[in-house]
Amino acid sequence: MIGLPAYLILGALVFSIGLFGVLTRRNAVGILLGIELMLNAVNINLVAFARFNGDVAGLVFTLFTISITVAEVAVGLAIVIAIFRVRRTVEADRLDLLRG
Amino acid sequence: MTLPPAAWHAIEAFIVLNALLVLVAYVTLLERKFAARMQSRIGPYYVGRPHGWLQPIADALKLMMKEDIVPTASDRWVYNLAPIVFLLPCLLIFATIPFAPDLGVADLNIGVLFFLAVSSLEIVGLFMGGWGSNNKYALLSAMRAVNQIISYDLPFIFAALVPVLLAGSMQMSAIVAAQQGLWFVAYPVVGQLAFLAFLVATLAAENRVPFDILEAESELVAGFRVEYSGMKFALIQLGEYAHMLGTSFLGALLFLGGWLGPGPAALGPVWFLTKAILIFLVVTWVRWSFVRIRVDQILAISWKLLLPATLALLLATGLVVAMRGPGGA
Amino acid sequence: MSAFTLELGLGAVMVLVFGGSLTSRGADRRWIAWLATAGILTLGIVSALVKPTPPALSGMFVLDGLAIFAKRLFLAATFIGLLAGIGADAVACGRRAGEYHLLILSSLLGMLVLASARDLILLFVAFELMSIPLYVLAGFLKGQDEAVEAALKFFLVGSVSSAVMAYGLSFVYGAARTTDLARVAQAFAPGQPLLLLGLLAVFAGFAFKIAAFPFHMWVPDTYEAASTPFVAWLSVAPKAAGFVALFRVYFEGMGDRVATWVPIAAGLAAITIVAGNLMALPQQNAKRLLAYSGIAHIGYMLVGFAAASASGTAMVLFYLVAYVFGNMGAFLVVEAVARSERSEATAALRGLAQRSPLLALAMLLFLLSLGGIPFVAGFWAKLYVFWAAAAAGLYWLVLLGAVLTVVALFYYLIVAKRMYIEAPDASAGRIRLPGTLALAVILCALVVVGLGLYPKPIVMAALRVAAPLF
Amino acid sequence: MTLETVGFWVVATVLLASSLAVVLTPNLFHAVLYLAAALVATAGVFLLLEQPFLFAVQLLLYAGGVVTIVVFAIMLTERLVGERIAQTSRHVVNGAIVAAAVFVGIVGFLIGAPLGAPRPAGTVDTTAAIGRALVGPFAVTLELLGVLLVVALLGALYFARSEE
């Protein structure tokens, strides 16, 4: 039988991988993908806890995080497209008009 | 015989899958014959004389033996995988469709939602193909597809939720059972409107005429599959027809009472198939009667007409159900 | 009155603004701005009448003293921010006025709910409702490179922090087996490492929202690139909301276990004060200067948080009031000058005393308040916060804060020197500012002076609302 | 080995492999496809935890929604630039160290936690329970989410439309 710790460690791994992506990617969309992975880890955690605690609130929470993520992604990509219109780049470290 | 349930499921799925593939093959023949009739032609005739009964098999053989071309500039890995990724969800949607009471792979209690969720994955394969081909037309087609599918997913889901609300369940068999007295298509006002919206959204979601801008032969040659040939082309074609057929089955289940009909219960699957084919023929009829409309018109229809209308319809249905009180039909 | 009076009222204002922006065409939509401002003013008056009610929604939504105090503060800040925006040219009154005000109002709705949320899910949703409009507003001048770029940075950092926060919340939920904060506190007993892990991660998320030191990098860029009336509001209202939520999560019902947070909060306060003040020193752009000094102020408030006591919490609340008006006022003066000079550099303030004595006087008051000089609001704020920290035994933190207050005075006084001692540029004429902006500045100045001379009522109110948390 | 154990290891392997691929592949489009795989694998995790409703929502919103939006953005941006965007990484070593440290930290907390409780018997129908919770205690939260979605739509529209 697979226990709760296995799911939590799976979540932690996905979270760390996502964090790695956020830290290392230069491209804004690439960073966004890392954030998606991190949020995915949140959902794994929530569902696993809800299942093992026998509680419905975690499942509701998951629904909310999923919906909020989609909203966030939509806004973020709209910003990416807007920045493309003016700058023609989404490399995060070429965005250096503002500094220091 | 004592096989574990998982094995039974596997066998069942295998049978359904193969029956389905045959059905899909013959649905293409049906469409060609039907289209021919509408245009006063005969259609396929010679292979399997007198009415081209062997035509689908001949087509399949031909496609299998054709040369498989992979464009040099393509994103090889994505290009090769795309047809499979496209086909898989199209076949998976049949998993929750019961063909008669207790005759189906899995009658999940979230059946309708499962259908909608899995069929939304089809798009991944679509843009894999459009992107992987590294072809201008293919890419344009994939972009149009994304546009269109984002726009029509919601009306489609809302329309499909009307019967769910009326029946008070997402389980397919429960929805059919709730239509025992009255098919939902005959339900006063909301039923007809929802069915109409469902049909329109189906046309768009399946990229059928008049919403077929993403394969518009005159502009984009053949859309996202322009580079595909041989077996891969066949897989994509198979996927499209399977999806179309699956949606027809869904429509028959949600609105036309599924396997309900006069005669003994054993006739159920026959009724069901008939109704599904009927929906399929309506879609085909539209295909051969209408002209293609422009991209902006397609989007306007969705966002300014269909989406608000289906939303209002869903609200109205909620009111109807609330006034009717719980449990009653 | 129901527990949701203010939220419902705000919803009504939002519907009005939305409907209004749908029915009107044209480039001048000043009346939408007026509509929104009037709506917020009405709500502010209503909020004066709101009384605490028993928790609604099975304890998820509380309207206690703390929530009411916070909501009044949010409404006041939003009122001043909107009022100042009315005179602004393209952003708040142009073709997109409807969008602009709807975004601000919906962010405000998030804050109002956040102040009352005692349930993890509601808290998270309210937090996101507060944040997402801010990302859009930061890039509202979307034709400009810097604005969209700042919006992207703000968005990326904000989303990461939301993800970290949600991850933390998932552990809190898992360990406490409930999303009700009151019961989370009960579950927070020794032997619950997961709850600790969760609260730590949530703390990191909060630290971003209030822009504490290592999580501050979005602040200067966003402040510099976005329109100033919005920035004035952004620099105070979401921060205040973040602090109120912080109190809810970490103090409410925790009993004597609040001590767990003291070292973390004290450390964060220390580095935030040091980093904010030191980075503010070399700034030549007035908005960036205020951005970094704002980071330092967050550090001072964290000192009060680190005190982890009723008086510490109350003093942070008082500090928030002083900071809201002082900081907004300073930003608005910068806006007024920038509108006539087209420059946000501190150099543009040169000789302001001769060009517009009243504006210069107001700016001086705000700077003194931010710097912590007696007889303006900021003095009492700093004093009380240090007092509470000393009472909790954090002497080293008080000392550090006091030393860096002197550093801060240095850069505030440089600005004052520019205004009063240096001669104006030959080209610079008198500064004319729209009546609404002048009114907003005057309101801020009055509050800053009033609180400096007679802080007692607000202090007593803060103490009253903070007491039940412990 | 029960079916569940096998399923867990298969899903976990797919999830981790595709997650790694998301952050390592230089091709942005491939990264999105790997993300789709990771999201579907996560849906598989939900299925293992007997939550078919969340499985469907995950597919519908995440794999169907998020991936579609991201692909659309990539296609649009690349068409604006007219070239394939290679995506590069920086500070790989530092990033790896930080990520590993975070992971070790989390596991450190997990080890000390009392998590031995066995999995309780599954409730019959969590879908209905979720529905009741959504319109019951969480009704106001749901309303707030509605406002949030509208606002996000408004914001996305504001950026996406070109006026100049």
Side-chain angles (χ1 to χ4, degrees):
Chain A
M1 258 331 222
I2 302 291
L4 178 56
Y7 286 101
L8 295 185
I9 288 179
L10 182 65
L13 272 171
V14 174
F15 186 81
S16 311
I17 293 174
L19 185 65
F20 172 78
V22 170
L23 293 174
T24 56
R25 284 307 199 193
R26 291 171 120 105
N27 184 304
V29 179
I31 297 175
L32 203 59
L33 298 185
I35 296 173
E36 290 308 303
L37 285 179
M38 291 167 78
L39 285 162
N40 221 22
V42 174
N43 292 341
I44 294 177
N45 259 9
L46 283 172
V47 177
F49 274 129
R51 179 66 187 84
F52 281 85
N53 289 352
D55 180 41
V56 78
L59 306 175
V60 175
F61 203 160
T62 314
L63 272 183
F64 281 111
T65 50
I66 291 179
S67 323
I68 289 176
T69 307
V70 178
E72 232 174 32
V73 168
V75 172
L77 289 172
I79 297 178
V80 166
I81 290 174
I83 209 165
F84 238 100
R85 287 225 177 90
V86 266
R87 291 291 298 281
R88 316 257 138 173
T89 181
V90 275
E91 302 281 299
D93 54 1
R94 259 190 240 155
L95 302 174
D96 48 8
L97 279 183
L98 303 153
R99 181 172 275 169
Chain B
M1 213 161 57
T2 50
L3 275 171
W8 271 119
H9 277 299
I11 293 172
E12 229 171 341
F14 184 76
I15 295 170
V16 168
L17 202 62
N18 282 292
L20 208 70
L21 292 180
V22 174
L23 193 57
V24 169
Y26 274 90
V27 155
T28 60
L29 178 67
L30 179 67
E31 173 165 16
R32 288 168 74 177
K33 280 301 220 188
F34 185 73
R37 284 293 157 193
M38 289 187 65
Q39 297 169 338
S40 307
R41 293 185 283 116
I42 298 175
Y45 188 80
Y46 290 101
V47 188
R49 222 168 334 204
H51 281 287
W53 289 112
L54 297 176
Q55 186 69 41
I57 296 167
D59 283 345
L61 283 175
K62 178 191 74 177
L63 284 170
M64 270 188 251
M65 286 187 294
K66 265 192 166 176
E67 188 191 353
D68 178 43
I69 299 166
V70 181
T72 357
S74 69
D75 193 334
R76 192 166 284 266
W77 184 91
V78 174
Y79 177 85
N80 286 332
L81 215 53
I84 299 167
V85 176
F86 183 79
L87 180 61
L88 218 57
C90 296
L91 294 178
L92 268 178
I93 52 176
F94 287 91
T96 58
I97 293 186
F99 296 95
D102 308 317
L103 180 64
V105 180
D107 191 17
L108 299 178
N109 67 349
I110 55 149
V112 176
L113 190 66
F114 179 90
F115 185 100
L116 298 172
V118 171
S119 67
S120 78
L121 286 183
E122 179 203 37
I123 179 109
V124 178
L126 198 152
F127 48 56
M128 277 173 81
W131 180 276
S133 312
N134 199 8
N135 175 306
K136 212 177 278 180
Y137 296 129
L139 187 61
L140 269 178
S141 154
M143 288 189 66
R144 287 181 176 187
V146 176
N147 250 333
Q148 185 164 330
I149 286 178
I150 287 179
S151 310
Y152 280 89
D153 242 11
L154 282 178
F156 185 76
I157 292 174
F158 287 156
L161 282 183
V162 169
V164 170
L165 264 187
L166 288 175
S169 170
M170 286 194 283
Q171 192 168 14
M172 303 265 192
S173 56
I175 294 175
V176 173
Q179 300 179 65
Q180 204 77 52
L182 182 71
W183 293 359
F184 284 149
V185 71
Y187 207 92
V189 191
V190 284
Q192 291 91 47
L193 288 177
F195 187 56
L196 195 67
F198 181 84
L199 280 183
V200 176
T202 301
L203 288 173
E206 308 296 328
N207 312 314
R208 285 311 198 100
V209 179
F211 302 100
D212 66 335
I213 43 156
L214 71 154
E215 55 174 286
E217 307 90 339
S218 45
E219 325 165 21
L220 296 180
V221 197
F224 72 98
R225 74 198 110 172
V226 58
E227 296 285 4
Y228 285 95
S229 59
M231 201 53 212
K232 286 180 200 143
F233 181 81
L235 288 184
I236 293 177
Q237 206 71 348
L238 190 65
E240 280 207 329
Y241 276 93
H243 198 195
M244 186 59 240
L245 197 64
T247 313
S248 305
F249 272 118
L250 182 69
L253 260 176
L254 291 180
F255 293 99
L256 302 182
W259 53 79
L260 299 176
L267 272 179
V270 179
W271 281 119
F272 190 27
L273 188 62
T274 315
K275 291 169 186 171
I277 294 289
L278 200 68
I279 292 185
F280 178 81
L281 285 181
V282 170
V283 172
T284 312
W285 171 34
V286 173
R287 174 176 184 178
W288 295 100
S289 318
F290 281 85
V291 290
R292 186 180 308 133
I293 57 181
R294 281 199 324 263
V295 182
D296 59 313
Q297 290 168 329
I298 288 182
L299 295 185
I301 289 178
S302 166
W303 292 102
K304 293 186 181 159
L305 177 72
L306 214 47
L307 186 62
T310 45
L311 202 53
L313 195 60
L314 203 55
L315 275 176
T317 314
L319 276 179
V320 168
V321 172
M323 290 197 310
R324 196 180 63 186
Chain C
M1 259 193 267
S2 94
F4 301 103
T5 308
L6 291 177
E7 285 76 12
L8 290 176
L10 182 56
V13 176
M14 287 167 72
V15 170
L16 275 181
V17 170
F18 185 59
S21 66
L22 281 186
T23 50
S24 76
R25 302 234 173 273
D28 183 13
R29 297 192 168 185
R30 187 160 305 189
W31 67 275
I32 290 178
W34 277 112
L35 183 66
T37 315
I40 296 300
L41 182 63
T42 318
L43 282 182
I45 294 165
V46 172
S47 79
L49 307 172
V50 170
K51 296 271 179 301
T53 57
L57 301 175
S58 52
M60 275 183 201
F61 190 94
V62 287
L63 192 70
D64 54 0
L66 178 65
I68 295 175
F69 188 93
K71 287 178 193 200
R72 287 178 187 154
L73 187 60
F74 303 153
L75 286 169
T78 311
F79 171 68
I80 292 176
L82 290 183
L83 189 66
I86 291 180
D89 29 77
V91 179
C93 305
R95 280 188 56 214
R96 299 282 163 234
E99 276 100 328
Y100 179 80
H101 288 98
L102 268 180
L103 287 167
I104 286 197
L105 293 181
S106 46
S107 183
L108 177 65
L109 179 63
M111 292 173 201
L112 292 185
V113 177
L114 190 61
S116 288
R118 214 173 56 180
D119 172 88
L120 295 180
I121 303 178
L122 188 59
L123 184 100
F124 185 64
V125 175
F127 232 123
E128 291 299 309
L129 179 58
M130 176 179 93
S131 306
I132 289 180
L134 298 182
Y135 307 144
V136 182
L137 286 166
F140 210 76
L141 303 164
K142 64 180 175 178
Q144 293 176 9
D145 283 12
E146 299 89 346
V148 201
E149 189 181 317
L152 184 63
K153 277 187 186 171
F154 190 14
F155 167 78
L156 287 177
V157 185
S159 305
V160 174
S161 80
S162 291
V164 173
M165 189 180 203
Y167 193 60
L169 289 177
S170 75
F171 279 115
V172 174
Y173 161 71
R177 294 170 172 248
T178 175
T179 58
D180 185 349
L181 271 174
R183 285 196 282 153
V184 167
Q186 292 160 17
F188 190 61
Q192 275 288 23
L194 281 191
L195 195 51
L196 189 61
L197 168 65
L199 285 172
L200 277 177
V202 174
F203 198 77
F206 272 117
F208 160 80
K209 299 287 175 189
I210 59 173
F213 167 61
F215 311 97
H216 72 284
M217 53 290 222
W218 57 274
V219 170
D221 290 354
T222 310
Y223 285 14
E224 187 183 347
S227 79
T228 313
F230 161 66
V231 170
W233 178 76
L234 172 71
S235 71
V236 293
K239 310 259 153 67
F243 265 101
V244 174
L246 206 57
F247 295 145
R248 264 292 172 236
V249 176
Y250 290 87
F251 288 166
E252 180 156 321
M254 286 287 184
D256 49 359
R257 283 181 297 273
V258 288
T260 323
W261 310 113
V262 172
I264 303 165
L268 195 64
I271 51 171
T272 305
I273 293 175
V274 173
N277 278 324
L278 291 185
M279 286 187 294
L281 274 178
Q283 298 304 328
Q284 293 304 319
N285 179 301
K287 278 162 91 180
R288 290 187 88 85
L289 180 91
L290 286 174
Y292 282 113
S293 94
I295 294 170
H297 283 288
I298 297 301
Y300 291 120
M301 287 182 243
L302 279 171
V303 172
F305 178 76
S309 62
S311 64
T313 307
M315 292 315 122
V316 175
L317 289 177
F318 180 77
Y319 202 121
L320 275 174
V321 177
Y323 171 71
V324 162
F325 291 98
N327 213 39
M328 281 193 95
F331 267 112
L332 294 180
V333 174
V334 172
E335 162 77 0
V337 175
R339 254 188 233 167
S340 77
E341 303 283 311
R342 303 255 156 260
S343 162
E344 286 160 356
T346 50
L349 291 169
R350 221 175 260 155
L352 189 64
Q354 293 165 40
R355 287 149 59 203
S356 176
L358 279 179
L359 207 54
L361 180 66
M363 186 65 170
L364 186 66
L365 285 173
F366 298 137
L367 290 177
L368 291 181
S369 176
L370 290 174
I373 300 294
F375 307 115
V376 269
F379 169 70
W380 300 111
K382 280 213 175 64
L383 187 69
Y384 287 144
V385 163
F386 288 156
W387 202 338
L394 294 164
Y395 296 108
W396 64 274
L397 195 55
V398 174
L399 188 68
L400 184 81
V403 169
L404 280 149
T405 304
V406 179
V407 175
L409 266 184
F410 176 69
Y411 59 76
Y412 288 131
L413 287 179
I414 286 187
V415 177
K417 183 185 123 220
R418 283 189 191 273
M419 292 192 305
Y420 276 90
I421 298 179
E422 290 178 17
D425 291 336
S427 61
R430 284 192 61 83
I431 291 183
R432 311 174 57 83
L433 63 165
T436 46
L437 185 56
L439 184 60
V441 172
I442 290 169
L443 278 177
C444 288
L446 283 180
V447 175
V448 166
V449 175
L451 277 186
L453 295 176
Y454 189 52
K456 198 176 165 205
I458 302 285
V459 174
M460 297 315 287
L463 278 171
R464 217 169 30 245
V465 302
L469 282 181
F470 291 88
Chain D
M1 289 245 273
T2 61
L3 204 62
E4 192 216 344
T5 321
V6 179
F8 178 81
W9 286 111
V10 170
V11 167
T13 314
V14 173
L15 177 55
L16 291 177
S18 44
S19 302
L20 272 176
V22 170
V23 296
L24 291 178
T25 174
N27 184 320
L28 194 53
F29 189 78
H30 288 181
V32 182
L33 294 183
Y34 285 122
L35 181 72
L39 295 174
V40 173
T42 310
V45 173
F46 295 170
L47 216 48
L48 287 173
L49 290 164
E50 297 156 89
Q51 306 301 339
F53 180 71
L54 287 175
F55 162 82
V57 171
Q58 168 92 2
L59 287 190
L60 195 64
L61 284 187
Y62 252 123
V66 170
V67 171
T68 309
I69 306 176
V70 178
V71 167
F72 191 59
I74 292 180
M75 286 176 177
L76 210 60
T77 48
E78 297 215 343
R79 214 169 58 137
L80 283 173
V81 181
E83 63 184 63
R84 289 263 151 128
I85 299 171
Q87 80 160 347
T88 46
S89 301
R90 55 175 173 187
H91 315 314
V92 176
V93 178
N94 294 350
I97 291 171
V98 172
V102 167
F103 176 69
V104 171
I106 297 172
V107 171
F109 276 101
L110 285 180
I111 287 172
L115 293 173
R119 179 160 162 161
T123 33
V124 192
D125 190 0
T126 50
T127 311
I130 292 174
R132 269 185 216 107
L134 273 182
V135 293
F138 294 104
V140 170
T141 319
L142 187 68
E143 296 295 324
L144 213 58
L145 180 73
V147 179
L148 189 149
L149 292 180
V150 172
V151 169
L153 186 65
L154 189 79
L157 267 180
Y158 176 76
F159 278 118
R161 71 197 299 171
S162 58
E163 352 201 0
E164 283 76 31

